[in-house]
């Protein structure tokens, strides 16, 4: 805006002169004093003769006035204020008597500089702002750029609101205190031409007058940083052609219910827009010279505009500093948040202000979430972290989701932005939160093992200082357990790493062992590093039973990876530990896997002998599950040696031990395959194909792609059916994609 010419009013003339003497433009003084350019223009032109004392004080501070000049400015302002507050209320019907003709008011702050991208969000705001008296609710986490988006949109669409553009910062997430509804209305009403002396004293009266004035106007009302719906409602204009845009870190569901607010979610920037934002501050040439470092910076800032702007500001202060150097510093998680703060502005400050608006119990709960070693939590994990029950945890998670501090990525699964997680980890959550969540994973893993492989022996005794969770997830069947494993695999792996780093060895190897049903199901998924960590922990814990179990599983995995000599070393150690401890079941287990190694080396007779010994040990221990497993492998080795009759008899004997009619598992599927191959070898092609097809269908229906590939491959060796080939190709594609 231009500077304008002051009217012949004492306050306006003095203010204009003082501003010119100080060398300020209207825009510069307005920004320094924290008022709008339009309001300053009204004062200098004599249209606003009696600004409030706090406004005059802010102007005097910004102009660096002497005490004498400041007193003179306040004296002249006081002369323009009404001697009495005025009438109690101005009924809407009498609004025209209280209103002087006004130019189109514009209280919008300046358009944001360096705004990039957000085409989809801008279009969404335009859609939400269409229709009759719409309320558009722009929501998102702290620092995501909601205000910048709305101001950019408002300036782009100025012409759509010829009767005025009003703006108020409701400061719902600040340290300076929120303005009352009356304070905001005392800004809006004069902008619409209401004399200060005619503004009603009550909020209801002032709000009614505001709605009356807006009824026939085409206004834009921007209500920025709203804390809750109650703060917004008295400020809604309600006119048919008025558009209200509200920004908030909270979802404000009440506003959606009562005023049909249309939400527009604002998320972090994608890599391209984030890089463009950096270029807007640092210049395209500097960013273009280090494209990989710029992308890395965007990644480390999590696409959060506030974080990106702080990083860019630091780089702008040091023109010779490479972007790669800044990225290297930000890679240190212990320093990242401090590097993304400038004075009192930054990610940490924004998150602190968001938390201040939440109840104390939710804030404490948030701090506990920071101790989670993974990226996602469900209500059970969250409850364990905070030492509460799942229902209370879910309530807190929902409160945090409303404040955009967590995001529900799938039903019942929540995650945090990386920078929010770092902030949570900086808070004090007490000493036992990590132990509690690790013990939650142990308890849940044991429940999943029991559902996935019922009847198997317990994996291990619980740690002596086990912290039992308030509740443990229940699994109705094996498919539910496998689904949990699949969803939680990454977090379980991270839990093992966190436990190992904290030297909680007794928990490290136990969590790894609870994964064995998933390991069986997805044997080619690169499990060796996890099991090596578990083995190191079991040795540090001096637990021989744990060592034997882990060595056994690790040996099997190494066989599958073609590392047979390594596998045999581990397996012989497992067998020796089990034998020394007099653990017949563990020894039988080890012998079964040793036999697999012998078979891989071509010693099928030796493999069969090891399995026969395992069967004897299992029968002596009365363990039908291990007996069935040993018979399954014995049948396999006999089939591979071409001993079809022995293979068929052994497979049939093992299948008779399957004591869960109507259910399937991996051993059953593998036994059906052996039976089918043996029948084919004995010349019974019809029954052999039927058994192999049954094995393939059971594997396909249960998601056991490795088994499906094996069974369908055996079928294709005796049949060139196109349907079989399509099923084989599909299973192989699934297996290849997963691994």
């Amino acid at each position: 805006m231009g500077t304008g010419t002051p009217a012949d009013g004492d306050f306006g003339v003095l203010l204009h002169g003082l501003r010119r003497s100080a060398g300020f433009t209207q825009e510069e003084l307005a920004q320094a004093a924290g008022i709008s350019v339009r309001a300053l223009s009204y004062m200098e032109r004599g249209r606003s003769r009696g600004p409030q004392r706090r406004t005059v004080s802010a102007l005097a501070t910004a102009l660096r006035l002497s005490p004498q000049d400041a007193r003179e400015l306040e004296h002249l302002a006081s002369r323009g204020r009404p001697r009495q507050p005025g009438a109690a209320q101005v009924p809407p019907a009498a609004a025209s008597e209280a209103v002087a003709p006004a130019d189109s008011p514009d209280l919008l702050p300046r358009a944001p500089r360096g705004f990039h991208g957000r085409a989809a969000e801008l279009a969404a705001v335009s859609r939400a702002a269409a229709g009759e008296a719409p309320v558009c609710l722009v929501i998102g986490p702290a620092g995501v750029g909601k205000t910048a988006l709305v101001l950019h949109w408002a300036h782009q669409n100025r012409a759509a609101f010829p009767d005025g553009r009003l703006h108020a910062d409701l400061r719902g997430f600040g340290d300076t205190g929120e303005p009352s509804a009356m304070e905001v209305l005392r800004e809006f009403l004069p902008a619409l031409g209401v004399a200060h002396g005619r503004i009603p004293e009550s909020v209801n009266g002032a709000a009614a007058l505001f709605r009356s004035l807006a009824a026939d106007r085409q206004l834009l009302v921007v209500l920025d940083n709203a804390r809750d719906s109650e703060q917004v409602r008295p400020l809604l204009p309600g006119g048919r052609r008025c558009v209200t845009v509200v920004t908030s870190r909270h979802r404000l569901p009440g506003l959606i219910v009562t005023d049909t607010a249309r939400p527009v979610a604002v998320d972090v920037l994608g890599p391209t827009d984030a890089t463009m934002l950096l270029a807007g501050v640092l210049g395209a040439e500097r960013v273009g010279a280090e494209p990989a470092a710029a992308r890395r910076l965007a990644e480390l800032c999590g696409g959060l505009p506030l974080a990106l702007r702080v990083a860019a500001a630091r780089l702008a202060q040091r023109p010779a500093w490479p972007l790669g150097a800044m990225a290297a510093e930000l890679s240190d998680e212990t320093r990242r948040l401090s590097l993304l703060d400038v004075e009192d502005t930054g990610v940490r400050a924004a998150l602190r202000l968001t938390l201040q608006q939440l109840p104390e119990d939710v804030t404490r709960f948030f701090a506990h979430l920071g101790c989670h070693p993974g990226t996602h939590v469900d209500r059970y994990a969250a409850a364990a972290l905070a030492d509460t029950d799942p229902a209370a945890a879910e309530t807190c998670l929902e409160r945090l989701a409303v404040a955009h501090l967590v995001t529900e990525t799938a039903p019942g699964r929540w995650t945090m932005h990386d920078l929010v997680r770092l902030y949570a980890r900086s808070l004090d959550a007490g000493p036992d939160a990590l132990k509690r969540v690790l013990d939650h994973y142990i308890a849940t893993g044991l429940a999943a093992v029991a559902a996935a492989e019922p009847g198997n022996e317990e994996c291990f005794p619980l740690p002596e200082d086990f912290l039992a969770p308030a509740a443990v997830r229940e699994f109705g069947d094996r498919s539910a357990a496998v689904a949990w494993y699949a969803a939680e695999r990454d977090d379980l792996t991270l839990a093992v790493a966190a436990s190992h780093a904290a030297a909680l060895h007794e928990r490290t190897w136990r969590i790894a062992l609870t994964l064995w049903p998933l390991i069986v199901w997805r044997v080619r998924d690169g499990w060796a590093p996890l099991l090596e960590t578990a083995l190191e922990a079991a040795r540090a814990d001096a637990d021989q039973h744990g060592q034997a179990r882990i060595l056994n599983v690790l040996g099997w995995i190494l066989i599958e990876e073609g590392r047979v000599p390594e596998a045999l070393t581990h397996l012989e150690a497992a067998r020796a530990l089990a034998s020394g401890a007099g653990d017949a079941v563990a020894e039988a287990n080890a012998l079964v896997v040793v036999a697999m190694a012998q078979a891989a080396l071509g010693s099928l007779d030796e493999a069969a002998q090891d399995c026969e010994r395992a069967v004897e040990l299992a029968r002596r221990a009365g363990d039908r599950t291990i007996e069935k497993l040993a018979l399954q492998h014995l049948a396999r080795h006999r089939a591979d040696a071409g001993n079809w009759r022995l293979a068929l008899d052994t497979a049939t004997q093992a299948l008779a031990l399957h004591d869960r009619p109507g259910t399937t598992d991996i051993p059953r599927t593998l036994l059906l395959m052996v039976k089918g191959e043996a029948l084919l070898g004995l010349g019974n092609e019809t029954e052999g194909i039927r058994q192999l097809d049954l094995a393939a269908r059971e594997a396909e229906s249960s998601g056991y792609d490795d088994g499906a590939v094996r069974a369908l491959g055996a079928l294709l060796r005796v049949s060139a059916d196109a349907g079989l080939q399509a099923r084989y190709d599909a299973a192989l594609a699934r297996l290849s994609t997963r691994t």
Side-chain angles (χ1 to χ4, degrees):
M1 294 187 61
T3 58
T5 302
D8 292 332
D10 292 341
F11 176 79
V13 170
L14 178 58
L15 178 59
H16 176 77
L18 291 169
R19 176 177 63 77
R20 295 294 296 271
S21 297
F24 281 111
T25 65
Q26 281 189 344
E27 287 84 351
E28 290 168 342
L29 178 55
Q31 184 173 8
I35 63 176
S36 70
V37 177
R38 176 67 69 180
L40 180 58
S41 175
Y42 283 175
M43 293 177 207
E44 291 193 355
R45 290 159 57 193
R47 292 191 54 198
S48 178
R49 297 175 180 272
Q52 297 178 39
R53 184 183 296 271
R54 61 187 176 87
T55 302
V56 177
S57 176
L59 288 167
T61 300
L63 289 166
R64 297 183 175 86
L65 296 185
S66 67
Q68 181 178 351
D69 285 344
R71 283 194 297 272
E72 177 63 16
L73 192 66
E74 168 56 28
H75 172 67
L76 293 178
S78 67
R79 288 172 53 184
R81 296 179 193 136
R83 299 269 178 202
Q84 297 179 353
Q89 291 189 17
V90 178
S96 61
E97 300 175 10
V99 181
D103 294 334
S104 170
D106 191 345
L107 303 185
L108 290 176
R110 65 174 174 82
R113 296 172 185 171
F115 185 88
H116 291 286
R118 299 291 196 195
E121 291 88 344
L122 289 167
V125 174
S126 293
R127 289 193 298 272
E132 184 174 311
V135 177
C136 173
L137 179 56
V138 178
I139 53 176
V144 82
K146 301 177 293 295
T147 298
L149 172 77
V150 169
L151 290 179
H152 183 79
W153 178 86
H155 281 278
Q156 274 191 329
N157 292 274
R158 292 167 66 93
F161 306 101
D163 296 323
R165 294 151 298 278
L166 306 179
H167 174 276
D169 184 356
L170 302 184
R171 303 196 297 273
F173 304 93
D175 278 334
T176 57
E178 301 169 8
S180 66
M182 197 66 195
E183 287 178 274
V184 176
L185 290 167
R186 284 186 183 131
E187 293 284 343
F188 284 1
L189 291 172
L192 296 175
V194 179
H196 281 281
R198 303 304 300 274
I199 296 176
E201 289 182 345
S202 71
V203 173
N204 288 340
L209 177 57
F210 175 52
R211 289 192 296 272
S212 177
L213 294 174
D216 296 320
R217 302 194 192 200
Q218 199 162 343
L219 290 173
L220 170 65
V221 179
V222 177
L223 302 174
D224 202 12
N225 291 312
R227 171 180 39 83
D228 55 29
S229 302
E230 184 180 357
Q231 192 184 24
V232 170
R233 288 193 185 100
L235 305 175
L236 296 176
R240 292 185 303 106
R241 297 185 298 159
C242 293
V243 172
T244 306
V245 182
V246 181
T247 75
S248 183
R249 298 179 192 180
H250 292 171
R251 291 178 183 167
L252 307 192
L255 207 61
I256 297 172
V257 172
T258 61
D259 295 275
T260 323
R262 303 167 186 176
V264 174
V266 183
D267 206 345
V268 296
L269 294 171
T272 301
D273 285 345
T275 305
M276 287 177 63
L277 188 154
L278 290 173
V281 179
L282 301 173
E285 184 177 350
R286 187 175 179 186
V287 170
E290 296 183 78
R295 286 194 297 274
R296 179 60 176 155
L297 273 177
E299 177 186 333
L300 290 167
C301 291
L304 194 69
L306 174 61
L308 287 162
R309 290 187 182 280
V310 172
R314 287 192 176 277
L315 286 163
Q317 292 171 351
R318 302 169 66 179
W321 201 26
L323 273 64
M326 179 70 174
E329 291 202 0
L330 285 176
S331 296
D332 182 355
E333 288 191 353
T334 63
R335 299 185 59 211
R336 191 177 305 167
L337 283 177
S338 61
L339 289 169
L340 293 176
D341 281 334
V342 174
E343 295 180 348
D344 61 346
T345 299
V347 176
R348 205 159 31 190
L351 292 171
R352 176 176 55 80
L353 293 173
T354 300
L355 278 175
Q356 282 180 358
Q357 305 301 322
L358 296 173
E360 186 178 348
D361 64 319
V362 179
T363 301
R364 285 198 307 271
F365 180 86
F366 175 79
H368 283 98
L369 288 185
C371 297
H372 189 260
T375 59
H376 290 77
V377 295
D378 60 15
R379 66 195 195 112
Y380 292 94
L385 282 162
D387 197 18
T388 186
D389 61 85
E394 188 165 20
T395 299
C396 287
L397 284 165
E398 288 171 352
R399 289 294 301 271
L400 291 171
V402 167
H404 289 96
L405 290 169
V406 301
T407 302
E408 192 173 12
T409 56
R413 283 175 62 77
W414 288 266
T415 190
M416 289 179 174
H417 186 281
D418 287 347
L419 296 177
V420 177
R421 185 177 295 108
L422 286 178
Y423 181 70
R425 285 177 181 170
S426 72
L427 304 176
D428 182 17
D432 291 331
L434 178 60
K435 272 189 180 181
R436 286 196 300 268
V437 78
L438 294 175
D439 289 349
H440 148 76
Y441 281 126
I442 290 172
T444 311
L446 289 173
V449 169
E453 301 293 341
N456 278 285
E457 64 163 332
E458 287 292 328
C459 288
F460 43 72
L462 295 173
E464 289 184 6
D465 61 342
F466 181 75
L467 302 173
V472 178
R473 178 188 290 273
E474 295 179 359
F475 300 98
D477 53 26
R478 188 175 58 79
S479 63
V482 171
W484 178 81
Y485 276 125
E488 297 289 340
R489 175 182 172 176
D490 290 343
D491 284 330
L492 287 164
T493 303
L494 290 169
V496 169
S499 181
H500 192 54
L504 297 171
H505 304 303
E506 71 289 349
R507 288 164 168 84
T508 303
W509 66 264
R510 283 175 166 87
I511 295 173
L513 267 187
T514 64
L515 279 160
W516 75 263
L518 184 62
I519 294 173
V520 172
W521 210 250
R522 298 185 172 181
V523 63
R524 301 180 186 181
D525 275 9
W527 295 101
L530 178 79
L531 292 166
E532 285 162 357
T533 298
L535 179 59
E536 185 180 339
R539 285 171 174 163
D541 193 31
D543 190 297
Q544 292 192 353
H545 177 74
Q547 290 177 59
R549 293 293 304 273
I550 294 162
L551 283 165
N552 204 37
V553 179
L554 177 57
W556 172 49
I557 292 297
L558 292 175
I559 292 169
E560 291 290 335
E561 293 182 358
R563 298 158 62 182
V564 180
E566 271 184 85
L568 274 171
T569 300
H570 290 311
L571 292 167
E572 291 297 346
R575 182 179 178 182
L577 282 169
S579 178
D583 188 340
V585 171
E587 187 179 358
N589 223 327
L591 279 168
V592 167
V593 190
V594 167
M596 291 176 65
Q598 297 293 355
L601 293 173
S603 303
L604 292 174
D605 288 344
E606 200 171 335
Q609 290 170 10
D610 284 335
C611 285
E612 288 169 349
R613 172 67 178 150
V615 170
E616 291 174 11
L617 286 169
R619 285 173 177 166
R620 191 183 307 162
D623 193 310
R624 288 169 62 89
T625 301
I626 295 299
E627 180 186 352
K628 177 183 172 184
L629 179 69
L631 287 170
Q632 169 209 318
H633 283 271
L634 178 59
R636 176 78 268 164
H637 300 319
R638 285 172 170 171
D640 289 343
N643 296 326
W644 303 120
R645 174 53 60 188
L646 282 174
L648 178 61
D649 291 346
T650 305
T652 303
Q653 183 183 359
L655 283 167
L657 296 176
H658 186 75
D659 54 2
R660 289 177 290 146
T663 65
T664 184
D665 56 17
I666 290 177
R668 172 179 159 81
T669 300
L670 294 174
L671 284 165
L672 289 172
M673 280 195 276
V674 172
K675 189 175 180 181
E677 291 174 37
L679 287 164
L680 289 174
L682 292 169
N684 190 345
E685 185 171 301
T686 301
E687 184 59 20
I689 289 175
R690 192 182 75 81
Q691 292 293 324
L692 284 171
D693 186 61
L694 178 60
R697 292 189 185 281
E698 287 191 2
E700 288 170 313
S701 66
S702 60
Y704 180 32
D705 295 321
D706 187 63
V709 167
R710 294 185 193 185
L712 290 165
L715 282 169
L716 284 169
R717 287 193 287 273
V718 294
S719 171
D721 182 78
L724 286 175
Q725 186 66 54
R727 288 165 61 195
Y728 176 85
D729 292 342
L732 186 61
R734 289 193 301 271
L735 190 63
S736 302
T737 300
R738 193 185 68 218
T739 56

